[in-house]
Amino acid sequence: MAAESGKIDPMHQFQVEPLFGHDWQIAGHSIAFTNSSLWMLATLVVIWLFMLGGMKRELVPGRWQVMVEGVTGFVSNMMEQNIGRAGRKFVPYVFSLFMFILVANLLGLIPLGLIPGVHPFTVTSHLTVTAVLAIVSFSIVLIVGFAKHGFHFFSLFVPHGAPWWMMPILIPVEFVSFMVRPFSLALRLFVAMTAGHILLKVLAGFVINGLNAEALWVAPVVSLPSLILMIGISALELLVAAIQAYVFALLTSLYLNDAINLH
Amino acid sequence: MPQIAQIGEIYASQLFWLTIVFGAIFFIVGLGMVPKILGTVEARDARIAADLAEAATARETADRLEEEYRAALDRSRSEAAKVAAEAKAAAARATEARVAEVDAVVNGRLEQAMARIAEARTSAQAEIESVAAEAAQAMVERVAGVTVDPTVARAAVQQELVRG
């Protein structure tokens, strides 16, 4: 891929490079502070600053407070609709999840690459990150399910109203669909973010290579349509960034509903 | 694909920093800030609901007061009308009584006056009789030279007067 588009490698944006602390180790594992860690911290700071604006706790809220209350209300409404009153306990976790994914997605889309030497990085385009988030969500579902219902939790695999002789087929199917959940959670986000960013970088490579081409007709024929397409896809990616965060939070709340209310 | 090619060297760093950052988000933002913000919204909703309920009660009170006021107004109006009618009737009665009283007084005076007139008339008649009798006596004496007894003269005069 790198060879086809000259010097521009669309995969380079996903490269994790240690910034400092190369020799930091825990039990022999390197925990160097990487560009990925830097963007995670940026995500934390942005979320914290955003939420800080909503902490005035005025009776008549200002614009910022309304925004913050809108987001918290969005998540808590989603939890209440999908789970019921019991869902309120999980609002802090799902809210953190939603905000982390949303802000990480959006920060990765900021065109900081225009500044020489700065490379934006999308934390959520890494399987190592999305997998951890998915495993945490899935573990919470398992812990809550078994703590609340004990072994009765396994009745989740028995669909309601199905004839008994269908059980040998249905129970394995339900079990597999249940066990696939963390993988689908992790892969959906990882693939969506990766694909969008690769597409943007490939198109950007077309724009730049077209402009650098020796033949003059290449620039208007290749670069201009690519640029227009990039503008559209950037808008689409903003939408995808929000949708993926919403989907992750929504599915987590649906899985939690299974664990709390069975079905 | 660096995400997969690099897993071996970066997984520990990714996990470590993700744990720290996501943990901070969960504990500081999720547990620290979100409940307070939701609490603010809930307090506001409760406040608005309470205010609305209070307004509804106030309106009900106002309606009830107005109704009571109207009823009181109607009551006082009818009472005033009754009092006025009574007063009118009493005044009419008083006037009647006064008129009757005055009437009686006037009638009494009229009767007295009538009595006095009658008395005056009888006394005048008696005087006329005695004067006429004396005149008749004198006329008879002069014309006929007959001395008439005064009693006879009086009786004759009386007879003539009654007839005449």
Side-chain angles (χ1 to χ4, degrees):
Chain A
M1 223 177 210
E4 288 161 29
S5 53
K7 288 172 284 183
I8 297 159
D9 175 11
M11 302 309 282
H12 182 261
Q13 54 174 326
F14 303 119
Q15 199 82 34
V16 176
E17 284 151 359
L19 297 178
F20 54 85
H22 297 260
D23 47 356
W24 292 354
Q25 284 193 343
I26 288 180
H29 301 289
S30 164
I31 53 155
F33 190 84
T34 61
N35 53 345
S36 174
S37 319
L38 179 67
W39 287 89
M40 286 184 204
L41 271 184
T43 305
L44 167 63
V45 171
V46 168
I47 293 175
W48 183 70
L49 286 178
F50 174 72
M51 295 300 286
L52 208 58
M55 291 301 286
K56 288 193 203 116
R57 312 187 65 186
E58 284 166 5
L59 187 65
V60 179
R63 286 157 201 262
W64 199 298
Q65 198 183 334
V66 165
M67 271 198 303
V68 175
E69 283 171 3
V71 180
T72 56
F74 172 70
V75 173
S76 84
N77 279 347
M78 181 177 77
M79 298 302 281
E80 209 148 315
Q81 273 171 13
N82 289 330
I83 305 178
R85 295 294 293 178
R88 298 177 68 90
K89 265 189 299 185
F90 299 97
V91 168
Y93 171 68
V94 175
F95 182 80
S96 308
L97 199 60
F98 175 72
M99 286 304 276
F100 179 76
I101 295 171
L102 178 68
V103 173
N105 288 352
L106 291 176
L107 283 184
L109 282 171
I110 296 175
L112 288 173
L114 293 174
I115 305 167
V118 179
H119 300 289
F121 184 87
T122 313
V123 178
T124 42
S125 67
H126 267 259
L127 195 55
T128 39
V129 171
T130 59
V132 170
L133 295 177
I135 288 167
V136 170
S137 283
F138 192 65
S139 309
I140 290 176
V141 168
L142 286 182
I143 292 167
V144 169
F146 280 114
K148 207 166 166 66
H149 304 289
F151 287 107
H152 194 62
F153 184 48
F154 286 114
S155 72
L156 193 65
F157 303 134
V158 184
H160 270 299
W164 61 268
W165 46 268
M166 286 287 282
M167 288 306 160
I169 308 166
L170 282 177
I171 289 175
V173 167
E174 287 282 324
F175 180 73
V176 168
S177 86
F178 183 78
M179 293 311 288
V180 153
R181 283 172 176 184
F183 298 97
S184 70
L185 267 184
L187 286 173
R188 182 182 299 110
L189 178 58
F190 154 65
V191 166
M193 297 324 291
T194 302
H197 281 269
I198 290 176
L199 185 55
L200 281 177
K201 259 50 167 198
V202 167
L203 287 171
F206 286 169
V207 174
I208 291 165
N209 287 336
L211 288 174
N212 289 341
E214 285 184 22
L216 281 178
W217 59 268
V218 178
V221 172
V222 175
S223 297
L224 191 63
S226 298
L227 182 67
I228 293 168
L229 196 59
M230 265 188 85
I231 294 170
I233 289 176
S234 295
L236 183 72
E237 283 302 308
L238 285 174
L239 184 69
V240 169
I243 286 177
Q244 288 300 327
Y246 173 62
V247 164
F248 204 109
L250 180 71
L251 286 175
T252 301
S253 78
L254 290 177
Y255 297 161
L256 274 170
N257 178 44
D258 279 349
I260 292 167
N261 301 323
L262 288 176
H263 61 75
Chain B
M1 201 174 244
Q3 292 102 312
I4 291 164
Q6 280 191 308
I7 279 186
E9 45 173 316
I10 63 166
Y11 77 93
S13 157
Q14 290 279 69
L15 182 60
F16 177 76
W17 290 104
L18 179 64
T19 309
I20 288 181
V21 169
F22 192 74
I25 292 174
F26 178 65
F27 285 107
I28 298 173
V29 174
L31 288 180
M33 290 169 150
V34 171
K36 283 183 191 159
I37 291 169
L38 290 176
T40 311
V41 175
E42 229 161 79
R44 182 185 308 129
D45 289 352
R47 174 81 184 270
I48 289 170
D51 283 359
L52 283 180
E54 205 175 305
T57 334
R59 208 188 49 213
E60 260 168 44
T61 313
D63 283 354
R64 208 190 55 237
L65 284 179
E66 200 193 336
E67 215 161 289
E68 280 176 9
Y69 162 74
R70 275 178 200 287
L73 200 64
D74 286 352
R75 218 169 35 240
S76 5
R77 263 205 198 116
S78 65
E79 214 162 291
K82 208 166 71 190
V83 167
E86 267 172 24
K88 217 185 263 179
R93 267 200 309 278
T95 312
E96 230 167 87
R98 184 105 183 91
V99 166
E101 198 179 309
V102 171
D103 223 18
V105 170
V106 168
N107 280 344
R109 280 202 198 146
L110 206 60
E111 264 165 43
Q112 279 174 1
M114 291 291 235
R116 268 208 308 278
I117 289 169
E119 205 179 308
R121 188 195 267 161
T122 37
S123 72
Q125 206 152 9
E127 220 157 306
I128 288 170
E129 269 174 26
S130 61
V131 170
E134 273 171 35
Q137 218 178 328
M139 277 181 340
V140 167
E141 217 175 69
R142 259 229 210 139
V143 172
V146 182
T147 311
V148 183
D149 193 54
T151 35
V152 176
R154 182 167 284 242
V157 167
Q158 256 177 0
Q159 211 174 349
E160 285 305 312
L161 275 177
V162 168
R163 208 183 287 157

